[in-house]
Amino acid sequence: MQTIFSIAVDALAYGMVLFVISIGLSVTLGLMRVVNLAHGAFAMIGGYIASYAARDLGVGYGLAVLIAVFGTIVIAIPIERLLYRRIYGRPELTQVLMTIGITFCIIGIANYVFGPTLKTIPLPPSLQGSADLGFRSIAVHRIFAIVCGLCVAAALWYAIERTAFGVRLRAAVDDAAMAAALGVRTEVIYAVSFAVAVGLAAFGGVVGAELLPVEPYYALRYMVTFLVVVSVGGAGSIPGALAACLLLGGIDTTGRYLMPEFGEFFFYLAVIAIVCVFPRGLAGRMK
């Protein structure tokens, strides 16, 4: 029973970290129709900034998270204006080539500025240690990751489905020309959406650093993982992305606990099976 409980907790925490990072990719891919393979690079930038702020500047964990999120957004805004706007509405191959190029550029710059070493983000005392439930102890950081995932899911769903900004975003996605004719500033909507997606990637990169270590080739190592969970969940669907992350996170964690020699075999086997049954994802919106 202890093994089962440990698998369940680790799987839930891992799934939530995947969700926080990849939900931004789901937004850009499903709602903005941009295949952004550089999404993981922005998560890496967030981890690097947080590590620098916490270790070299000596700021607290909470402040380091805020610096990482807003610092990553500041870096991403000119990239969106100068590069991403050129590929909105362009063929998918063009988007893939552009964003892969951006990924390698970010990796090169990060390695030059911060060095080719693993970066750690010191946890505050409140997130260290374990919480005793009486029958089992749970790492406090795991609980923190799970709570962050739930909060992000609820907030993002509300923003897209229940706010005026969400209505404008969905209108711009469905028919950008008509939305613009009705007074919707589509460029601003896309820029804000991109900033939110990048900010969530940075936030997930920091919160999930204990599970997905921040290292020089982070963006390439997890590029396929983030893209896969979005595709399985259905691009643009928050419930679908959450379900996919929890399902695949559970399968991957269970496989690593019970048969670690198989690596990610069960993860990708599950992906193949799900895509065969649900070719548009668990709750896809792609047209």
Side-chain angles (χ1 to χ4, degrees):
M1 287 299 295
Q2 288 188 351
T3 301
I4 294 175
F5 187 77
S6 296
I7 292 174
V9 172
D10 285 349
L12 185 57
Y14 178 55
M16 284 300 183
V17 168
L18 283 180
F19 172 77
V20 174
I21 297 175
S22 62
I23 188 59
L25 177 59
S26 181
V27 170
T28 56
L29 180 59
L31 297 181
M32 297 173 63
R33 306 291 192 266
V34 177
V35 184
N36 183 19
L37 296 187
H39 188 76
F42 293 111
M44 183 183 74
I45 291 174
Y48 270 71
I49 294 176
S51 177
Y52 177 76
R55 296 179 63 86
D56 297 334
L57 300 182
V59 304
Y61 183 80
L63 183 57
V65 172
L66 292 177
I67 292 174
V69 171
F70 288 104
T72 304
I73 291 175
V74 168
I75 292 172
I77 286 175
I79 296 176
E80 190 273 339
R81 291 184 63 87
L82 296 175
L83 298 178
Y84 278 88
R85 289 193 182 184
R86 299 175 182 271
I87 60 174
Y88 291 155
R90 300 292 294 276
E92 286 81 0
L93 180 59
T94 301
Q95 297 175 351
V96 166
L97 293 175
M98 172 72 85
T99 53
I100 286 180
I102 292 172
T103 299
F104 279 103
C105 289
I106 291 175
I107 289 174
I109 294 171
N111 277 270
Y112 177 78
V113 175
F114 296 103
T117 57
L118 180 72
K119 302 301 177 184
T120 59
I121 304 172
L123 295 175
S126 59
L127 294 180
Q128 297 177 7
S130 302
D132 189 3
L133 301 181
F135 63 94
R136 190 74 171 85
S137 296
I138 305 178
V140 176
H141 181 265
R142 299 289 195 272
I143 299 175
F144 175 68
I146 293 169
V147 172
C148 286
L150 293 174
C151 291
V152 167
L156 199 57
W157 177 85
Y158 182 82
I160 293 177
E161 301 293 339
R162 292 290 185 269
T163 66
F165 173 80
V167 172
R168 294 187 179 95
L169 173 60
R170 286 181 277 121
V173 168
D174 291 338
D175 192 332
M178 180 60 71
L182 294 174
V184 176
R185 299 179 63 185
T186 55
E187 290 188 355
V188 174
I189 293 295
Y190 283 151
V192 172
S193 300
F194 185 82
V196 170
V198 166
L200 287 174
F203 179 67
V206 178
V207 172
E210 294 291 312
L211 297 171
L212 303 177
V214 181
E215 44 89 16
Y217 292 96
Y218 178 101
L220 291 179
R221 184 181 301 275
Y222 301 112
M223 176 191 291
V224 175
T225 302
F226 300 148
L227 185 62
V228 160
V229 296
V230 170
S231 300
V232 169
S237 169
I238 297 173
L242 181 59
C245 289
L246 294 178
L247 177 60
L248 295 176
I251 292 172
D252 191 31
T253 302
T254 303
R256 292 179 184 275
Y257 259 91
L258 302 180
M259 287 173 282
E261 65 274 10
F262 280 84
E264 296 182 326
F265 171 78
F266 294 105
F267 178 89
Y268 289 106
L269 181 64
V271 170
I272 293 171
I274 294 171
V275 170
C276 286
V277 178
F278 302 98
R280 290 162 61 96
L282 297 176
R285 289 185 179 181
M286 291 291 285
K287 293 181 180 181

